[in-house]
Every structure is written in C-alpha cells, then in structure tokens.
Amino acid sequence: MKHAVVREVKEETGVNIDIIEFCGVSQDLKRNICNMWWLGTPINGSLKVSKESLEVGFFSIEVALKLIRNDDFKEELLICLDKDKQPFFITL
C-alpha cells in the first residue's frame, strides 16, 4: 500500500507551512506535554493568536531567542537548528 506524504500543514497560528524536516520530540513529564519539532517554510495564510499562541510573528533567530521566556523552548529551538543533534528526544 502506498502512503501519502503530507508536507503541508495548517499551523495553529493560521499559517500554512511546508514541512522541510522532522527535528525531534520533547516531553515535559510533570505537565504531561509532548511537543513535535519540525522545520518548515510558510506558504500562505494570515497570522492569528490562539489559546496555544498568545503572540505571533516572524523573527530572526537572534530576536526570537530574546523574546522567548521559557529556557526549555530556547534550548529546543537551538537543537532544531543543529543538524548534528537531530533527531532528538528530550525529557524535562
């Protein structure tokens, strides 16, 4: 059986993303949260806030690292950008 390859997804921010590659998984055991990390390119759509995305925008890596308040997210973002550390599985 042939499986379809999904490359385009609708992000919770309202933007359609072309998935470039899978980076890894992080799991917060205390809060029962599991995140899947992907690299992608925006295709179309309009940015909007949601319960999961209180603020949205496109930023350089340097600016994003200054804006992100959660140190775990900063670490995960940097690992996503380091191909030598992929795929990763992180437990917090």
Side-chain angles (χ1 to χ4, degrees), residues 26 28 31 33 35 37 64-78 92:
S26 63
D28 184 334
R31 295 174 35 202
I33 297 173
N35 293 307
W37 293 87
L65 289 171
K66 290 178 184 175
L67 293 172
I68 296 171
R69 295 181 193 114
N70 183 313
D71 288 335
D72 293 331
F73 281 166
K74 286 181 187 181
E75 177 187 352
E76 292 159 334
L77 173 59
L78 291 171
L92 308 170

Side-chain angles (χ1 to χ4, degrees), residues 3-88:
H3 296 280
V5 177
V6 177
R7 289 198 56 203
E8 183 179 329
V9 296
K10 182 143 194 114
E11 238 279 326
E12 68 264 7
T13 59
V15 176
N16 292 316
I17 303 290
D18 181 24
I19 295 174
I20 297 171
E21 75 182 74
F22 173 72
C23 298
V25 177
S26 63
Q27 183 179 23
D28 184 334
L29 297 172
K30 293 176 186 165
R31 295 174 35 202
N32 294 321
I33 297 173
C34 187
N35 293 307
M36 307 293 284
W37 293 87
W38 305 83
L39 290 180
T41 302
I43 300 170
N44 57 35
S46 299
L47 289 173
K48 63 179 181 179
V49 296
S50 71
K51 287 189 268 183
E52 293 183 28
S53 305
L54 302 177
E55 297 179 53
V56 295
F58 292 103
F59 306 97
S60 68
I61 300 303
E62 295 79 20
V63 172
L65 289 171
K66 290 178 184 175
L67 293 172
I68 296 171
R69 295 181 193 114
N70 183 313
D71 288 335
D72 293 331
F73 281 166
K74 286 181 187 181
E75 177 187 352
E76 292 159 334
L77 173 59
L78 291 171
I79 292 172
C80 284
L81 299 173
D82 186 346
K83 292 194 182 292
D84 292 335
K85 295 182 179 179
Q86 296 173 14
F88 63 84

